[in-house]
Amino acid sequence: MLDRPDRVPRGRRAHRPRTPGSAGRRFAALRWTLVGVWTALVVSRIVVVAAAPQTDLAFLGVAELVAISVGVVGLVVAVVRARVIRRRRADEALALAIRRIDPTVWLVPAAPTPELRQDVLRARPEATLGERVTWAFGATEASLWELEERRATRLLVIRWSRMVHVGVEDVPGERDASAVAMHYVRPDDSAAVATFFVRSSPGSRRLLGRGPRLERLVADLARERIVA
């Protein structure tokens, strides 16, 4: 969940990134495997009927039903996985763009709340937040980023010197997710709050509720980032 540049992965072997064509190759292999199995079953039925018309073909019917069920489940899983991979690549592309600007920031995948949408609308009337955003927490500021087509856009900047409080709030209508609330002062000295949900990982739509991970995030923000 927390993409911190000062953390080093454990183990001797680094995780090999997936190449863009790897998921496509796996999906093609699954598709052609299923086609091969279905073709073999159809050919077997034709051969058995031609050679011994009196043979009971119930076992072939069961095998075909099982093969079709496995194929449908496999295709659904492959489609869902492909969508998750696409979302993850978008998050990774945004993270890479942010790190090119500041390699020391601490990235947190997030989802906007209605309050955050209103706050961004006030600061950037031309911007409309999507379902997935990323917070970059640096030494002096917190900034909200979104991937707009192929361009990383910074939508909101909050100086740590103008931060008042960070906590966890329950959002009406959300049973399984709680929001991180950052209370701060705008440049015009008016009070504001930026609330956001935390996604469990890059590319994921699952939101974190109250628990150790969310509490640790808030504690880290309060202990390490706030300077005023």
Side-chain angles (χ1 to χ4, degrees):
M1 178 189 72
L2 306 180
D3 181 12
R4 305 195 62 169
D6 54 343
R7 291 185 179 178
V8 179
R10 295 180 180 179
R12 295 182 179 179
R13 294 185 179 180
H15 177 70
R16 293 183 60 187
R18 291 186 176 91
T19 59
S22 60
R25 287 194 296 269
R26 287 195 298 270
F27 184 77
L30 173 63
R31 180 183 60 193
W32 287 112
T33 299
L34 294 175
V35 170
V37 171
W38 291 340
T39 302
L41 289 173
V42 172
V43 171
S44 299
R45 176 182 287 272
I46 294 173
V47 171
V48 171
V49 169
Q54 71 282 3
T55 302
D56 185 7
L57 299 178
F59 70 96
L60 277 177
V62 173
E64 290 172 354
L65 181 61
V66 170
I68 292 173
S69 300
V70 171
V72 171
V73 171
L75 290 174
V76 170
V77 170
V79 170
V80 172
R81 183 174 176 79
R83 294 183 61 184
V84 172
I85 290 174
R86 284 197 298 270
R87 292 197 299 265
R88 177 176 288 274
R89 286 176 183 163
D91 279 345
E92 290 174 349
L94 178 58
L96 181 60
I98 297 172
R99 285 276 168 79
R100 285 175 178 170
I101 298 172
D102 186 352
T104 66
V105 292
W106 170 21
L107 303 180
V108 175
T113 60
E115 280 183 331
L116 183 58
R117 293 183 187 278
Q118 293 175 7
D119 213 37
V120 170
L121 184 62
R122 178 194 295 263
R124 299 281 299 274
E126 75 283 0
T128 302
L129 285 182
E131 295 298 323
R132 300 187 309 278
V133 293
T134 294
W135 277 98
F137 298 116
T140 60
E141 66 184 25
S143 55
L144 177 68
W145 295 77
E146 184 180 36
L147 192 65
E148 186 180 358
E149 295 181 352
R150 296 186 178 182
R151 182 180 61 183
T153 303
R154 186 164 65 171
L155 300 171
L156 186 65
V157 178
I158 303 174
R159 296 285 179 181
W160 288 118
S161 58
R162 305 188 71 84
M163 190 68 61
V164 178
H165 173 71
V166 178
V168 179
E169 294 184 0
D170 294 324
V171 178
E174 291 287 344
R175 296 185 303 171
D176 302 326
S178 299
V180 175
M182 300 192 302
H183 298 262
Y184 65 100
V185 180
R186 296 190 183 98
D188 62 0
D189 293 330
S190 60
V193 57
T195 59
F196 61 93
F197 298 114
V198 178
R199 290 183 282 130
S200 60
S201 62
S204 175
R205 287 184 175 178
R206 189 170 68 87
L207 306 177
L208 295 182
R210 287 184 179 268
R213 295 177 69 183
L214 202 61
E215 292 172 0
R216 185 168 63 249
L217 168 61
V218 171
D220 285 347
L221 290 175
R223 181 177 61 251
E224 299 179 12
R225 305 298 173 176
I226 298 180
V227 296

